[in-house]
Amino acid sequence: FTLLGIAFNATLAWAPSHLIRTFEWTAPRAAFWLGSVMLGFGSIGIILGGVLTDRWRRNGWQDSALRVGVVSGAGLAPFALAAPLVGEPMLAVALYAPFLFFSAFAFGAAVTALQVMTPPALRAQVSALFLLSMNLLALGAGPLLTALLTDYVFGSDLRVGDSLAVVCTLAALAGAALLYS
């Protein structure tokens, strides 16, 4: 789940810069469009991810939360690759919509997985480790890796979209693969 968080946080940190640098949008315009997409599709994603987790669990799949994580990673990977690489700004925003839907899709399931898999006496400690992992690794590594790739691999601020595509796609696929295993 932390790897899925890397993709999510890299996008939140760098997608506005991608739109500003690549398409010469203003900061308010990028914030309006990405914020609107996040509000709508992210909200729907987190709710539907929880609904699907509950439905699969009622149908006897004890690993339903992990399965939702796999669906999340597999679902967001193609959009993580495409959104920052397209040459039309509104198409990029349109592709960020399913990306943000699938990014949010896993987070209700992640908390559910912790509660289901952890003995009651250890839940507070495991929850604290999860939050530490999400905050240090996902929030720290996603934006940092994107910046490092932009500066030291692609060598141009205008290539932040390429960095986003690499970091987010690899993190999504790796997260889905680990949850599947």
Side-chain angles (χ1 to χ4, degrees):
F1 287 110
T2 299
L3 287 167
L4 300 178
I6 285 174
F8 178 75
N9 285 298
T11 299
L12 288 184
W14 288 105
S17 295
H18 166 245
L19 294 174
I20 292 166
R21 294 174 187 177
T22 304
F23 303 113
E24 298 179 354
W25 275 20
T26 63
R29 184 175 185 191
F32 171 79
W33 283 105
L34 289 172
S36 297
V37 166
M38 176 61 159
L39 178 64
F41 288 88
S43 298
I44 293 167
I46 200 162
I47 291 167
L48 290 181
V51 167
L52 186 59
T53 302
D54 290 343
R55 178 173 291 151
W56 283 351
R57 188 156 178 79
R58 277 192 307 273
N59 289 337
W61 292 353
Q62 297 303 311
D63 61 347
S64 63
L66 300 178
R67 289 175 187 250
V68 166
V70 172
V71 170
S72 177
L76 72 89
F79 301 106
L81 181 62
L85 297 180
V86 298
E88 209 288 314
M90 289 311 291
L91 179 56
V93 169
L95 291 169
Y96 279 125
F99 173 89
L100 291 167
F101 170 85
F102 282 112
S103 291
F105 195 74
F107 289 108
V111 176
T112 300
L114 290 175
Q115 298 304 309
V116 169
M117 295 170 32
T118 306
L122 297 175
R123 286 183 182 157
Q125 293 167 326
V126 169
S127 293
L129 288 172
F130 173 74
L131 291 172
L132 178 69
S133 164
M134 290 301 285
N135 284 312
L136 284 180
L137 298 175
L139 188 56
L144 176 63
L145 290 171
T146 305
L148 292 173
L149 277 177
T150 301
D151 288 347
Y152 297 108
V153 174
F154 295 113
S156 170
D157 288 347
L158 297 176
R159 304 276 310 269
V160 70
D162 297 332
S163 299
L164 270 174
V166 170
V167 169
C168 294
T169 303
L170 292 177
L173 292 173
L178 284 172
L179 288 168
Y180 180 79
S181 71

